Amino acid sequence: MTWVRIVAWRLVFAVPLLLAVTFGMFALAKASPFDPVRQYLGDRAMTTSPQVMAEIRANWGLDRPLMEQYATWLGHLLRGDLGESRSLRLPVAQVIGERLGWTLLVVGCALALMLVAGLVLGTLAAWRRDSWLDRLVSGTAFANEAAPVFWVGLLVIWVFAVKLGWLPAGGLTDAAATAVTLLDLLRHLVLPVAVLAFSQSSWLLLFVRESVIGVLREDFVTGARARGLRERTVLVRHALRSALLPFITIMGARVPELVTGAILVEAVFSWPGVAGTTIKAALAVDFPLLAALTLLATVAVVLGNLLADLAYTVADPRVRVLGVS
């Protein structure tokens, strides 16, 4: 029943949050200096008469007041109608459905790699504090925090695809491929996953390092060593286990950064995911698609925080999450 109350409590805050985000999208679109009709027409906008452009605006409902546009869109959303993408000329639900799986594949693999690498390297750096290993790991993490994701992606493409020729530079398959094969998919998946995991691992690594260093000073760790337990047992079963409880909450709070990183990585590597489509929708002023993608990203953030709360109650049942337990 604890989980039910946590979910219900989160939903109480999620509904007004989603309404605020969606209304903010409409307000920004209304105030935007970019004309979606001109963007839709492209070069033809120079020769299209103002009357025809006004008719297109009326068909899209752009000439209506802001609240009327929002109420219409929200009503269609509640009926499961996300509208039609103006740039791709396809239903928004179809666009998202065809691309969401590829984004989940990249993000899931990157998340697993990030967790394993961050936990292992962070623990080793804390265990060998002030050693050459600690300085190397910490220095790389601090440098990575300052490096933009797209810059890391371009650097990796230049090294491993252009110079060494070991891996493809982007895309889902080779240009000459007629079907998606597992081996081809894995080759194209390596660089996007590695860049996304590397770009998002610094905060985790540094957090684990500092937490483990702090726990290693605690009395119960000193007592475990005094009882003659092996150093590996003390490090993994005592220090690391206690240091990871705050990490669960922080992991949920970092979901927005993971979403942003996925958008940039998919754009750099031309990965056909839903995250990279966000940039295309923004450049094309494709508001129906952009609104649905923004809503999807917000839902991902809310779910990430909800899962963090639920995981915290599993890890430590004594903790009261949001005042309900």
PDB file of all heavy atoms in Angstrom, residues 11 28 72 105 115 142 159 175 178 209-212 236 241 247 254 265 286 290 293:
ATOM      1  N   LEU A  11       1.021  11.675  -8.571  1.00  0.00           N
ATOM      2  CA  LEU A  11       0.046  12.059  -9.588  1.00  0.00           C
ATOM      3  C   LEU A  11      -0.642  13.376  -9.239  1.00  0.00           C
ATOM      4  O   LEU A  11      -0.991  14.155 -10.135  1.00  0.00           O
ATOM      5  CB  LEU A  11      -0.999  10.961  -9.761  1.00  0.00           C
ATOM      6  CG  LEU A  11      -0.530   9.679 -10.468  1.00  0.00           C
ATOM      7  CD1 LEU A  11      -1.642   8.654 -10.498  1.00  0.00           C
ATOM      8  CD2 LEU A  11      -0.048   9.996 -11.878  1.00  0.00           C
ATOM      9  N   LEU A  28       4.726  30.118 -25.485  1.00  0.00           N
ATOM     10  CA  LEU A  28       5.989  30.384 -26.186  1.00  0.00           C
ATOM     11  C   LEU A  28       5.794  30.344 -27.698  1.00  0.00           C
ATOM     12  O   LEU A  28       6.390  31.145 -28.435  1.00  0.00           O
ATOM     13  CB  LEU A  28       7.038  29.360 -25.762  1.00  0.00           C
ATOM     14  CG  LEU A  28       7.565  29.487 -24.331  1.00  0.00           C
ATOM     15  CD1 LEU A  28       8.495  28.321 -24.004  1.00  0.00           C
ATOM     16  CD2 LEU A  28       8.302  30.813 -24.152  1.00  0.00           C
ATOM     17  N   THR A  72      -8.436  23.301 -27.572  1.00  0.00           N
ATOM     18  CA  THR A  72      -8.645  22.364 -28.681  1.00  0.00           C
ATOM     19  C   THR A  72      -7.596  21.269 -28.673  1.00  0.00           C
ATOM     20  O   THR A  72      -7.917  20.079 -28.819  1.00  0.00           O
ATOM     21  CB  THR A  72      -8.616  23.124 -30.016  1.00  0.00           C
ATOM     22  OG1 THR A  72      -9.624  24.137 -30.019  1.00  0.00           O
ATOM     23  CG2 THR A  72      -8.853  22.173 -31.178  1.00  0.00           C
ATOM     24  N   LEU A 105      16.490   2.078 -26.779  1.00  0.00           N
ATOM     25  CA  LEU A 105      17.633   1.170 -26.916  1.00  0.00           C
ATOM     26  C   LEU A 105      18.934   1.884 -26.573  1.00  0.00           C
ATOM     27  O   LEU A 105      19.751   1.372 -25.790  1.00  0.00           O
ATOM     28  CB  LEU A 105      17.683   0.615 -28.338  1.00  0.00           C
ATOM     29  CG  LEU A 105      18.875  -0.292 -28.675  1.00  0.00           C
ATOM     30  CD1 LEU A 105      18.841  -1.548 -27.807  1.00  0.00           C
ATOM     31  CD2 LEU A 105      18.872  -0.654 -30.162  1.00  0.00           C
ATOM     32  N   LEU A 115      26.169   3.184 -15.293  1.00  0.00           N
ATOM     33  CA  LEU A 115      26.078   2.719 -13.908  1.00  0.00           C
ATOM     34  C   LEU A 115      27.246   1.805 -13.553  1.00  0.00           C
ATOM     35  O   LEU A 115      27.878   1.963 -12.496  1.00  0.00           O
ATOM     36  CB  LEU A 115      24.757   1.992 -13.688  1.00  0.00           C
ATOM     37  CG  LEU A 115      23.496   2.861 -13.715  1.00  0.00           C
ATOM     38  CD1 LEU A 115      22.248   1.994 -13.610  1.00  0.00           C
ATOM     39  CD2 LEU A 115      23.513   3.871 -12.585  1.00  0.00           C
ATOM     40  N   PHE A 142      36.283  15.505 -14.190  1.00  0.00           N
ATOM     41  CA  PHE A 142      36.113  16.957 -14.157  1.00  0.00           C
ATOM     42  C   PHE A 142      36.234  17.557 -15.559  1.00  0.00           C
ATOM     43  O   PHE A 142      35.488  18.471 -15.921  1.00  0.00           O
ATOM     44  CB  PHE A 142      37.150  17.590 -13.225  1.00  0.00           C
ATOM     45  CG  PHE A 142      36.793  17.495 -11.771  1.00  0.00           C
ATOM     46  CD1 PHE A 142      37.588  16.775 -10.895  1.00  0.00           C
ATOM     47  CD2 PHE A 142      35.651  18.112 -11.285  1.00  0.00           C
ATOM     48  CE1 PHE A 142      37.263  16.675  -9.553  1.00  0.00           C
ATOM     49  CE2 PHE A 142      35.307  18.019  -9.937  1.00  0.00           C
ATOM     50  CZ  PHE A 142      36.116  17.298  -9.066  1.00  0.00           C
ATOM     51  N   VAL A 159      38.004  10.409 -34.502  1.00  0.00           N
ATOM     52  CA  VAL A 159      39.044   9.443 -34.142  1.00  0.00           C
ATOM     53  C   VAL A 159      38.703   8.044 -34.648  1.00  0.00           C
ATOM     54  O   VAL A 159      39.487   7.413 -35.379  1.00  0.00           O
ATOM     55  CB  VAL A 159      39.264   9.429 -32.609  1.00  0.00           C
ATOM     56  CG1 VAL A 159      40.237   8.298 -32.227  1.00  0.00           C
ATOM     57  CG2 VAL A 159      39.801  10.770 -32.134  1.00  0.00           C
ATOM     58  N   ALA A 175      24.900   2.583 -45.635  1.00  0.00           N
ATOM     59  CA  ALA A 175      24.102   3.187 -46.699  1.00  0.00           C
ATOM     60  C   ALA A 175      23.624   2.146 -47.720  1.00  0.00           C
ATOM     61  O   ALA A 175      22.538   2.275 -48.279  1.00  0.00           O
ATOM     62  CB  ALA A 175      24.919   4.267 -47.403  1.00  0.00           C
ATOM     63  N   THR A 178      20.042  -3.088 -47.105  1.00  0.00           N
ATOM     64  CA  THR A 178      18.620  -3.124 -47.450  1.00  0.00           C
ATOM     65  C   THR A 178      17.745  -3.544 -46.276  1.00  0.00           C
ATOM     66  O   THR A 178      16.525  -3.443 -46.344  1.00  0.00           O
ATOM     67  CB  THR A 178      18.383  -4.102 -48.614  1.00  0.00           C
ATOM     68  OG1 THR A 178      18.871  -5.405 -48.249  1.00  0.00           O
ATOM     69  CG2 THR A 178      19.122  -3.619 -49.864  1.00  0.00           C
ATOM     70  N   ARG A 209      32.566   8.399  -5.568  1.00  0.00           N
ATOM     71  CA  ARG A 209      33.879   8.573  -4.926  1.00  0.00           C
ATOM     72  C   ARG A 209      33.752   9.303  -3.592  1.00  0.00           C
ATOM     73  O   ARG A 209      34.283   8.844  -2.567  1.00  0.00           O
ATOM     74  CB  ARG A 209      34.810   9.341  -5.868  1.00  0.00           C
ATOM     75  CG  ARG A 209      36.173   9.657  -5.268  1.00  0.00           C
ATOM     76  CD  ARG A 209      36.998  10.531  -6.195  1.00  0.00           C
ATOM     77  NE  ARG A 209      38.279  10.867  -5.595  1.00  0.00           N
ATOM     78  CZ  ARG A 209      38.469  11.896  -4.761  1.00  0.00           C
ATOM     79  NH1 ARG A 209      37.433  12.673  -4.435  1.00  0.00           N
ATOM     80  NH2 ARG A 209      39.663  12.124  -4.256  1.00  0.00           N
ATOM     81  N   GLU A 210      33.073  10.445  -3.590  1.00  0.00           N
ATOM     82  CA  GLU A 210      32.948  11.221  -2.357  1.00  0.00           C
ATOM     83  C   GLU A 210      32.139  10.477  -1.301  1.00  0.00           C
ATOM     84  O   GLU A 210      32.455  10.535  -0.105  1.00  0.00           O
ATOM     85  CB  GLU A 210      32.294  12.576  -2.665  1.00  0.00           C
ATOM     86  CG  GLU A 210      33.149  13.501  -3.510  1.00  0.00           C
ATOM     87  CD  GLU A 210      34.470  13.830  -2.837  1.00  0.00           C
ATOM     88  OE1 GLU A 210      34.482  14.039  -1.606  1.00  0.00           O
ATOM     89  OE2 GLU A 210      35.497  13.870  -3.544  1.00  0.00           O
ATOM     90  N   SER A 211      31.090   9.790  -1.720  1.00  0.00           N
ATOM     91  CA  SER A 211      30.265   9.055  -0.762  1.00  0.00           C
ATOM     92  C   SER A 211      31.035   7.908  -0.119  1.00  0.00           C
ATOM     93  O   SER A 211      30.970   7.691   1.094  1.00  0.00           O
ATOM     94  CB  SER A 211      29.008   8.521  -1.450  1.00  0.00           C
ATOM     95  OG  SER A 211      28.201   9.575  -1.920  1.00  0.00           O
ATOM     96  N   VAL A 212      31.777   7.168  -0.929  1.00  0.00           N
ATOM     97  CA  VAL A 212      32.541   6.039  -0.391  1.00  0.00           C
ATOM     98  C   VAL A 212      33.652   6.535   0.530  1.00  0.00           C
ATOM     99  O   VAL A 212      33.907   5.941   1.588  1.00  0.00           O
ATOM    100  CB  VAL A 212      33.110   5.181  -1.541  1.00  0.00           C
ATOM    101  CG1 VAL A 212      34.063   4.114  -1.007  1.00  0.00           C
ATOM    102  CG2 VAL A 212      31.982   4.524  -2.320  1.00  0.00           C
ATOM    103  N   VAL A 236      32.855  -3.361  -0.548  1.00  0.00           N
ATOM    104  CA  VAL A 236      31.668  -3.603  -1.360  1.00  0.00           C
ATOM    105  C   VAL A 236      30.412  -3.769  -0.503  1.00  0.00           C
ATOM    106  O   VAL A 236      29.382  -3.121  -0.742  1.00  0.00           O
ATOM    107  CB  VAL A 236      31.869  -4.845  -2.260  1.00  0.00           C
ATOM    108  CG1 VAL A 236      30.600  -5.167  -3.031  1.00  0.00           C
ATOM    109  CG2 VAL A 236      33.033  -4.620  -3.205  1.00  0.00           C
ATOM    110  N   ARG A 241      27.595  -0.106  -0.200  1.00  0.00           N
ATOM    111  CA  ARG A 241      26.158  -0.296   0.008  1.00  0.00           C
ATOM    112  C   ARG A 241      25.543   0.892   0.755  1.00  0.00           C
ATOM    113  O   ARG A 241      24.456   1.360   0.419  1.00  0.00           O
ATOM    114  CB  ARG A 241      25.922  -1.583   0.769  1.00  0.00           C
ATOM    115  CG  ARG A 241      24.460  -1.945   0.946  1.00  0.00           C
ATOM    116  CD  ARG A 241      24.327  -3.286   1.622  1.00  0.00           C
ATOM    117  NE  ARG A 241      22.936  -3.678   1.774  1.00  0.00           N
ATOM    118  CZ  ARG A 241      22.544  -4.817   2.336  1.00  0.00           C
ATOM    119  NH1 ARG A 241      23.456  -5.674   2.786  1.00  0.00           N
ATOM    120  NH2 ARG A 241      21.261  -5.101   2.438  1.00  0.00           N
ATOM    121  N   PHE A 247      22.334   8.146  -3.729  1.00  0.00           N
ATOM    122  CA  PHE A 247      22.477   8.126  -5.185  1.00  0.00           C
ATOM    123  C   PHE A 247      21.148   7.861  -5.884  1.00  0.00           C
ATOM    124  O   PHE A 247      20.900   8.378  -6.981  1.00  0.00           O
ATOM    125  CB  PHE A 247      23.506   7.060  -5.566  1.00  0.00           C
ATOM    126  CG  PHE A 247      23.355   6.541  -6.970  1.00  0.00           C
ATOM    127  CD1 PHE A 247      23.743   7.312  -8.040  1.00  0.00           C
ATOM    128  CD2 PHE A 247      22.803   5.300  -7.212  1.00  0.00           C
ATOM    129  CE1 PHE A 247      23.592   6.847  -9.334  1.00  0.00           C
ATOM    130  CE2 PHE A 247      22.650   4.835  -8.493  1.00  0.00           C
ATOM    131  CZ  PHE A 247      23.047   5.609  -9.558  1.00  0.00           C
ATOM    132  N   ARG A 254      18.507  13.478 -12.197  1.00  0.00           N
ATOM    133  CA  ARG A 254      19.354  13.693 -13.369  1.00  0.00           C
ATOM    134  C   ARG A 254      18.705  13.238 -14.669  1.00  0.00           C
ATOM    135  O   ARG A 254      19.336  13.291 -15.720  1.00  0.00           O
ATOM    136  CB  ARG A 254      20.678  12.939 -13.183  1.00  0.00           C
ATOM    137  CG  ARG A 254      21.454  13.289 -11.949  1.00  0.00           C
ATOM    138  CD  ARG A 254      22.049  14.668 -11.993  1.00  0.00           C
ATOM    139  NE  ARG A 254      23.074  14.788 -13.008  1.00  0.00           N
ATOM    140  CZ  ARG A 254      24.085  15.659 -12.953  1.00  0.00           C
ATOM    141  NH1 ARG A 254      24.190  16.464 -11.919  1.00  0.00           N
ATOM    142  NH2 ARG A 254      24.978  15.742 -13.919  1.00  0.00           N
ATOM    143  N   VAL A 265      23.130  13.561 -28.739  1.00  0.00           N
ATOM    144  CA  VAL A 265      23.823  12.390 -29.283  1.00  0.00           C
ATOM    145  C   VAL A 265      23.117  11.882 -30.536  1.00  0.00           C
ATOM    146  O   VAL A 265      23.769  11.555 -31.548  1.00  0.00           O
ATOM    147  CB  VAL A 265      23.910  11.279 -28.217  1.00  0.00           C
ATOM    148  CG1 VAL A 265      24.295   9.943 -28.841  1.00  0.00           C
ATOM    149  CG2 VAL A 265      24.923  11.659 -27.150  1.00  0.00           C
ATOM    150  N   ASP A 286       7.599  22.785 -36.317  1.00  0.00           N
ATOM    151  CA  ASP A 286       6.539  21.773 -36.386  1.00  0.00           C
ATOM    152  C   ASP A 286       5.934  21.651 -34.994  1.00  0.00           C
ATOM    153  O   ASP A 286       6.294  20.759 -34.213  1.00  0.00           O
ATOM    154  CB  ASP A 286       7.133  20.446 -36.862  1.00  0.00           C
ATOM    155  CG  ASP A 286       6.065  19.401 -37.155  1.00  0.00           C
ATOM    156  OD1 ASP A 286       4.895  19.631 -36.795  1.00  0.00           O
ATOM    157  OD2 ASP A 286       6.408  18.358 -37.742  1.00  0.00           O
ATOM    158  N   LEU A 290       6.492  18.941 -31.946  1.00  0.00           N
ATOM    159  CA  LEU A 290       7.314  19.468 -30.853  1.00  0.00           C
ATOM    160  C   LEU A 290       6.546  19.432 -29.531  1.00  0.00           C
ATOM    161  O   LEU A 290       7.130  19.123 -28.481  1.00  0.00           O
ATOM    162  CB  LEU A 290       7.755  20.890 -31.181  1.00  0.00           C
ATOM    163  CG  LEU A 290       8.757  21.534 -30.222  1.00  0.00           C
ATOM    164  CD1 LEU A 290      10.043  20.729 -30.175  1.00  0.00           C
ATOM    165  CD2 LEU A 290       9.049  22.968 -30.639  1.00  0.00           C
ATOM    166  N   LEU A 293       6.501  15.821 -28.275  1.00  0.00           N
ATOM    167  CA  LEU A 293       7.817  15.395 -27.799  1.00  0.00           C
ATOM    168  C   LEU A 293       8.170  16.051 -26.468  1.00  0.00           C
ATOM    169  O   LEU A 293       8.756  15.422 -25.584  1.00  0.00           O
ATOM    170  CB  LEU A 293       8.876  15.729 -28.850  1.00  0.00           C
ATOM    171  CG  LEU A 293       8.778  14.944 -30.160  1.00  0.00           C
ATOM    172  CD1 LEU A 293       9.791  15.460 -31.166  1.00  0.00           C
ATOM    173  CD2 LEU A 293       8.986  13.460 -29.909  1.00  0.00           C
TER     174      LEU A 293
END
